[in-house]
Amino acid sequence: DTAVSQTPKYLVTQMGNDKSIKCEQNLGHDTMYWYKQDSKKFLKIMFSYNNKELIINETVPNRFSPKSPDKAHLNLHINSLELGDSAVYFCASSQMTVNTEAFFGQGTRLTVV
Amino acid sequence: QQQVKQSPQSLIVQKGGISIINCAYENTAFDYFPWYQQFPGKGPALLIAIRPDVSEKKEGRFTISFNKSAKQFSLHIMDSQPGDSATYFCAATSSGSARQLTFGSGTQLTVLP
């Protein structure tokens, strides 16, 4: 069983479109995250979501909005896609204690054309 | 401002050699320092982690050395193997940030057969 699963794995779309990436974890973790990995492989936190508390990285444009229907799911919705949004997006989950591993999904490669 | 600085950007080692990757951090609130390994097309996976009250942690061929006063930590891979070829990320986190990971910029390790 996949611990953290994301769909789709690849997403190609035109500028200006709205798209969503779905994430599900079956680990029973209480916190989920979205990370962005750019073309230079730099990984940066976008959001964390714990018990309905959302922590947003201040550099994330408000076109990006996380939506969590329940503790096991954290989806990422992106409005008005721009060329610069092209990247690999990783969902992750962990339990909010020290020494707890964060498990990552396999990533969604988003290409905006 | 990059809170975790990682070097080198790339590293080429002969099979059987020692690979060393260094990281330095700025935020003294960080209390957990994991290393992640990422293969192409995959999400990062936890390799080994350390807390600042420990100066060294060893798991198999992988060792973390931690210097709290210098705010530096490093990953040593002994007897490096071609299968170790991957991108390695140091990271840091604190309880005050919902355990969001702040990543270093990554090191592309190539182990030659």
Side-chain angles (χ1 to χ4, degrees), chain B residues 28-41:
Chain B
T28 55
F30 288 145
D31 61 4
Y32 183 60
F33 300 86
W35 285 86
Y36 281 81
Q37 179 187 55
Q38 185 181 27
F39 293 103

Side-chain angles (χ1 to χ4, degrees), chain B:
Chain B
Q1 182 182 8
Q2 187 178 353
Q3 293 194 48
V4 179
K5 295 183 179 180
Q6 182 172 347
S7 63
Q9 185 177 355
S10 63
L11 182 60
I12 299 175
V13 174
Q14 292 286 342
K15 179 182 176 181
I18 302 173
S19 304
I20 301 174
I21 305 170
N22 300 300
C23 285
Y25 64 97
E26 300 169 5
N27 187 347
T28 55
F30 288 145
D31 61 4
Y32 183 60
F33 300 86
W35 285 86
Y36 281 81
Q37 179 187 55
Q38 185 181 27
F39 293 103
K42 302 293 185 182
L46 181 69
L47 189 63
I48 186 172
I50 196 168
R51 291 187 62 179
D53 54 353
V54 176
S55 61
E56 185 176 284
K57 183 174 182 180
K58 182 176 181 179
E59 290 184 0
R61 296 184 293 109
F62 301 91
T63 300
I64 301 178
S65 298
F66 191 89
N67 185 329
K68 187 175 180 178
S69 60
K71 293 188 285 185
Q72 295 175 346
F73 59 111
S74 61
L75 176 69
H76 295 231
I77 306 174
M78 310 299 289
D79 187 26
S80 298
Q81 298 297 312
D84 296 332
S85 297
T87 301
Y88 292 80
F89 294 93
C90 62
T93 184
S94 66
S95 60
S97 66
R99 291 290 161 208
Q100 294 178 353
L101 290 163
T102 299
F103 283 93
S105 53
T107 297
Q108 176 68 54
L109 172 65
T110 302
V111 181
L112 301 176

